[in-house]
């Protein structure tokens, strides 16, 4: 995490902002806690008439909930990682960089410093990517996050719902979190559907709030807990379907959310969205590992170190690497060189 972020947190305003960032996480946690009460207490314990069915419902419910919460917790608590010191430019070189009299001079300074670093990504003018705030050469696929105030390895996006950057170290956890959240919502909706239908049956309740046919035993507010449980489960499931499906697609094509909007620029070949695409199975294994026993568990099994990534061979699709493939966009890179400080402006 950047030094600027540490300084901001020491101020009252910075502390308040840090607390404010946890509100979405607390909201999700509160919804999950309420859904636990509504499902376990109101739907299963107070309303179920079949003891065996209740046991199986609770068994699978707690299994999905555990995997869901485990993945969510790992996504939140996993650090964005630290870029090693060899990627950091010394202060004297930074001073030279900012005092350079032309962009070409700046480009030469950066390329010279990075000659022994494994970087293949470039800016539009062909220079090594440099972060002015962190004073580092950016590793491939790394970007600076203004919320985290640091450069993040293989940054996908900053997600306020987990108060963290989705990055190399927690991307697997994030995808599993979306998947298990979807399974959790669908399971809750499916198992509460019968009681939801009974709620709307005309004349199904007597004056005491009990089902005249004996179909729904919950009374008073308990019935409304079950009603809203079904509504909220369906609502979240609908929103999760598209998001989970999109990230499965990104995994299979080995692309981050940022790269889907702005193609990475390679030293050889130029901009190419498919530069890291090694094939669907290889792409999947790069995120989830090659041991199927760990694929569906929120434990780290991704390949690599987050700083270097295999690139497909140019022979596979020369036109794509040259920027002519129909799925390749040539767009401006956000990482420009520092604004040159010309000598005639220096007293």
């Amino acid at each position: 995490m950047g030094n600027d972020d540490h300084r901001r947190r020491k101020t009252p305003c910075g502390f308040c902002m840090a607390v404010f960032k946890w509100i979405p996480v607390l909201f999700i946690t509160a919804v999950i806690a309420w859904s636990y009460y509504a499902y376990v207490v109101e739907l299963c314990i107070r309303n179920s008439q079949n003891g065996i069915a209740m046991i199986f419902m609770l068994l699978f419910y707690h299994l999905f909930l555990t995997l869901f919460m485990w993945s969510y917790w790992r996504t939140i608590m996993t650090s964005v990682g630290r870029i090693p010191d060899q990627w950091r430019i010394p202060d004297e070189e930074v001073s030279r960089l900012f005092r350079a009299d032309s962009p070409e001079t700046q480009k030469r300074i950066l390329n010279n410093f990075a000659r022994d670093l494994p970087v293949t990504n470039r800016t539009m003018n062909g220079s090594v990517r440099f972060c002015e705030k962190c004073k580092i050469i950016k590793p491939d696929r790394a970007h600076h996050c203004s919320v985290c105030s640091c450069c993040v390895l293989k940054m996908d996006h900053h997600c306020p719902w987990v108060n963290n950057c989705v990055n190399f170290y927690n991307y697997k956890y994030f995808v599993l979190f979306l998947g298990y959240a979807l399974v959790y919502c669908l399971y809750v909706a499916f198992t509460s559907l019968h009681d939801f239908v009974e709620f709307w049956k005309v004349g199904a309740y007597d004056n005491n709030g009990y089902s005249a046919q004996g179909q729904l035993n919950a009374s008073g507010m308990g019935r409304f807990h079950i009603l809203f449980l079904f509504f909220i489960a369906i609502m979240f499931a609908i929103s999760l379907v598209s998001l989970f499906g999109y990230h499965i697609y990104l995994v299979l094509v080995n692309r981050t959310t940022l790269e889907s909007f702005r193609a990475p620029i390679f030293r050889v070949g130029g901009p190419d969205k498919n530069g890291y695409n090694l094939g669907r199975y290889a792409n999947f294994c790069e995120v989830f590992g090659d041991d199927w026993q760990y694929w569906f568990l929120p434990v780290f099994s991704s390949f690599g170190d987050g700083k270097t990534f295999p690139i497909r061979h140019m022979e596979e699709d020369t036109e794509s690497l040259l920027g002519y493939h129909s799925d390749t966009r040539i767009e401006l890179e956000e990482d420009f060189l520092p604004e040159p400080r010309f000598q005639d402006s220096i007293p």
Side-chain angles (χ1 to χ4, degrees):
M1 192 165 290
N3 293 329
D4 292 339
D5 187 58
H6 285 297
R7 285 194 292 267
R8 283 200 298 267
R9 287 192 176 188
K10 291 181 180 179
T11 65
C13 182
F15 177 78
C16 291
M17 286 301 298
V19 173
F20 181 78
K21 292 176 185 177
W22 285 101
I23 291 180
V25 176
L26 294 177
F27 172 76
I28 294 295
T29 304
V31 171
I32 296 171
W34 166 81
S35 69
Y36 185 88
Y37 167 80
Y39 191 91
V40 173
V41 178
E42 296 295 345
L43 181 65
C44 292
I45 297 179
R46 294 184 179 178
N47 190 57
S48 179
Q49 297 177 339
N50 189 324
I52 297 178
M54 180 187 71
I55 291 174
F56 278 100
M57 286 172 61
L58 290 175
L59 178 65
F60 285 105
Y61 173 82
H62 284 92
L63 173 63
F64 297 141
L65 177 65
T66 299
L67 292 171
F68 168 35
M69 291 302 296
W70 186 7
S71 303
Y72 189 44
W73 176 258
R74 293 301 301 271
T75 305
I76 294 172
M77 300 309 296
T78 300
S79 171
V80 297
R82 181 177 179 273
I83 297 177
D85 291 337
Q86 59 262 35
W87 298 78
R88 188 173 302 280
I89 299 181
D91 292 339
E92 56 272 16
E93 291 295 319
V94 174
S95 298
R96 284 186 55 210
L97 186 65
F98 283 116
R99 292 173 61 88
D101 56 358
S102 70
E104 285 302 317
T105 302
Q106 293 179 325
K107 178 180 176 181
R108 185 167 58 252
I109 294 173
L110 290 175
N111 289 345
N112 181 65
F113 182 83
R115 65 182 182 276
D116 296 325
L117 296 176
V119 288
T120 63
N121 289 173
R122 294 293 188 268
T123 60
M124 282 296 292
N125 68 358
S127 175
V128 173
R129 299 188 309 141
F130 170 71
C131 179
E132 292 187 59
K133 296 180 180 179
C134 297
K135 307 298 188 296
I136 63 168
I137 299 295
K138 290 185 179 183
D140 291 347
R141 311 183 84 174
H143 297 272
H144 186 88
C145 175
S146 59
V147 181
C148 296
S149 296
C150 65
C151 285
V152 179
L153 294 174
K154 195 186 176 184
M155 179 178 174
D156 187 90
H157 69 287
H158 186 91
C159 180
W161 298 107
V162 300
N163 190 30
N164 200 1
C165 263
V166 179
N167 62 92
F168 172 76
Y169 291 105
N170 69 355
Y171 188 61
K172 176 188 175 182
Y173 308 148
F174 179 74
V175 176
L176 288 177
F177 155 62
L178 295 178
Y180 285 129
L182 177 60
V183 171
Y184 175 81
C185 291
L186 291 176
Y187 178 79
V188 169
F190 177 76
T191 53
S192 62
L193 176 60
H194 176 267
D195 297 280
F196 173 79
V197 172
E198 289 297 321
F199 180 91
W200 296 102
K201 281 188 176 180
V202 178
Y205 304 100
D206 58 23
N207 294 331
N208 294 322
Y210 290 88
S211 172
Q213 291 85 16
Q215 297 296 318
L216 186 62
N217 295 329
S219 61
M221 288 301 298
R223 297 183 302 164
F224 290 97
H225 279 295
I226 297 173
L227 173 67
F228 288 119
L229 179 68
F230 178 83
F231 270 129
I232 292 177
I234 288 294
M235 180 184 67
F236 275 97
I238 292 174
S239 62
L240 285 167
V241 164
S242 58
L243 187 59
F244 177 62
Y246 178 65
H247 278 280
I248 288 296
Y249 164 76
L250 292 180
V251 169
L252 295 179
V253 297
N254 205 337
R255 196 179 298 164
T256 66
T257 299
L258 292 177
E259 290 167 353
S260 66
F261 290 99
R262 182 174 49 247
I265 303 173
F266 294 90
R267 182 185 64 233
V268 178
D272 184 12
K273 279 188 175 183
N274 294 312
Y276 296 108
N277 192 342
L278 308 175
R280 292 183 179 180
Y281 182 73
N283 295 338
F284 178 86
C285 289
E286 188 170 305
V287 176
F288 287 84
D290 57 358
D291 191 343
W292 65 269
Q293 300 179 71
Y294 298 105
W295 283 353
F296 304 108
L297 294 178
V299 295
F300 188 79
S301 57
S302 302
F303 288 155
D305 57 4
K307 296 178 283 294
T308 58
F309 300 89
I311 303 172
R312 67 174 184 163
H313 297 295
M314 290 183 61
E315 294 82 4
E316 294 180 0
D317 194 346
T318 304
E319 287 188 352
S320 175
L321 288 175
L322 290 176
Y324 297 116
H325 194 278
S326 60
D327 193 32
T328 300
R329 287 186 189 173
I330 300 179
E331 300 187 40
L332 289 177
E333 167 68 48
E334 89 288 9
D335 306 306
F336 293 102
L337 288 172
E339 183 181 353
R341 278 64 169 174
F342 295 97
Q343 293 291 347
D344 56 0
S345 64
I346 301 175

